[in-house]
Amino acid sequence: MTDMTDLSTPSIRRFHPSDAGVRLVCFPHAGGAASYFFPVSRQLSPVADVLAVQYPGRQERRKEPCVDSVTSLADILAEELLEWADRPLAFFGHSMGSLVAFEVARRLRQKDIELVALFASGRAAPSLSRDEGVHRRDDAGLLDRVKELGGTSGGLLEDPDVVAMLLPAIRNDYFAVETYRLTPGEPLNCPLVVLTGDADPMVTVDEAQGWRDFTTGHFELHAYRGGHFYLDTHAASVLERIRTHLTA
């Protein structure tokens, strides 16, 4: 059963509360939800208190308006995460979640809160914007993109009721990502670990390498065989890499 009783802040879901010495905050991909990280929480709870972010406009928050700006969403989440900063924080973001995590990390650093580590997955460096116009496609075109990338059970996307529920958040998130533009600022100072699929249509390995410019701390890049949701296939390896960094 999913434990969602600890909802002291609107956006945070804490499936497996842990007294570990570090908190790992997980930021979902476009159209994604906190529940995507339930297995991560279960596996890493011995070494981290895993917090999964639930963006407005999905699952139990589906009646709330979506936030269509990465920076506005980061403003909201940074304020909420101040309440969880009584332990060291590490961030993991996938795709859109990498951008949101990065922007939240910048805001927390302005308040003298430096991350233990930032794990950025499935996303080009923040300076490399790519507007493919996905948010301007009709519903069928938007669904085609989602199916192309994977990460959502194909059966779910054949259910009209599920599609009607998912599409507004997906379109909103693509708009947020495709209109995002980096505001110049100081680089982070934390370790930055970038993870990517070597056949990801959303980001090349060279574009992922561009994250190197966004920290003065330790940087490393790991490319896995696979596409945008390479981490579903390589979950064990990815989790072990995160575990190693958090316990170092």
Side-chain angles (χ1 to χ4, degrees):
M1 293 293 291
T2 299
D3 180 0
M4 298 179 63
T5 59
D6 192 339
L7 302 179
S8 60
T9 51
S11 303
I12 301 302
R13 302 295 174 263
R14 196 176 180 218
F15 300 122
H16 304 92
S18 168
D19 60 1
V22 63
R23 287 195 160 116
L24 176 67
V25 186
C26 298
F27 298 79
H29 54 279
S35 57
Y36 183 78
F37 295 109
F38 184 86
V40 175
S41 175
R42 183 179 60 235
Q43 293 294 320
L44 293 183
S45 60
V47 299
D49 188 31
V50 179
L51 310 179
V53 173
Q54 188 76 296
Y55 304 141
R58 56 219 76 199
Q59 292 188 335
E60 78 285 350
R61 301 188 74 188
R62 63 184 177 276
K63 293 184 179 179
E64 300 178 41
C66 295
V67 179
D68 64 0
S69 161
V70 168
T71 52
S72 295
L73 187 57
D75 288 340
I76 295 169
L77 296 175
E79 286 300 314
E80 287 192 39
L81 285 169
L82 289 175
E83 297 189 29
W84 298 91
D86 57 321
R87 303 184 209 174
L89 298 175
F91 286 176
F92 176 91
H94 180 64
S95 194
M96 169 184 165
S98 293
L99 286 181
V100 178
F102 167 72
E103 288 290 348
V104 173
R106 297 174 98 186
R107 284 153 176 75
L108 292 184
R109 192 178 187 212
Q110 292 173 356
K111 299 180 182 296
D112 296 321
I113 298 173
E114 191 74 60
L115 300 185
V116 172
L118 171 60
F119 301 93
S121 168
R123 184 70 203 173
S127 53
L128 301 175
S129 60
R130 180 193 289 184
D131 182 358
E132 297 179 330
V134 176
H135 71 275
R136 293 188 291 271
R137 297 183 184 182
D138 61 16
D139 289 353
L142 190 58
L143 282 176
D144 285 344
R145 182 58 160 176
V146 173
K147 292 176 181 178
E148 174 191 352
L149 295 179
T152 301
S153 171
L156 288 177
L157 297 180
E158 302 304 322
D159 185 325
D161 292 335
V162 172
V163 168
M165 182 176 64
L166 295 178
L167 274 180
I170 295 172
R171 188 178 299 282
N172 171 89
D173 291 355
Y174 269 100
F175 176 86
V177 169
E178 293 183 331
T179 59
Y180 170 82
R181 297 296 181 270
L182 175 70
T183 300
E186 293 295 318
L188 302 175
N189 193 37
C190 64
L192 178 50
V193 180
V194 177
L195 311 168
T196 192
D198 62 2
D200 188 343
M202 295 287 289
V203 51
T204 67
V205 174
D206 284 344
E207 288 174 327
Q209 185 73 32
W211 281 95
R212 179 183 294 275
D213 296 333
F214 290 90
T215 186
T216 59
H218 174 75
F219 175 86
E220 56 188 75
L221 170 71
H222 301 279
Y224 294 83
R225 292 182 63 86
H228 193 58
F229 284 93
Y230 73 90
L231 39 70
D232 291 344
T233 303
H234 300 283
S237 176
V238 171
L239 291 177
E240 184 57 33
R241 193 173 300 282
I242 294 172
R243 187 194 314 272
T244 298
H245 278 275
L246 295 183
T247 57

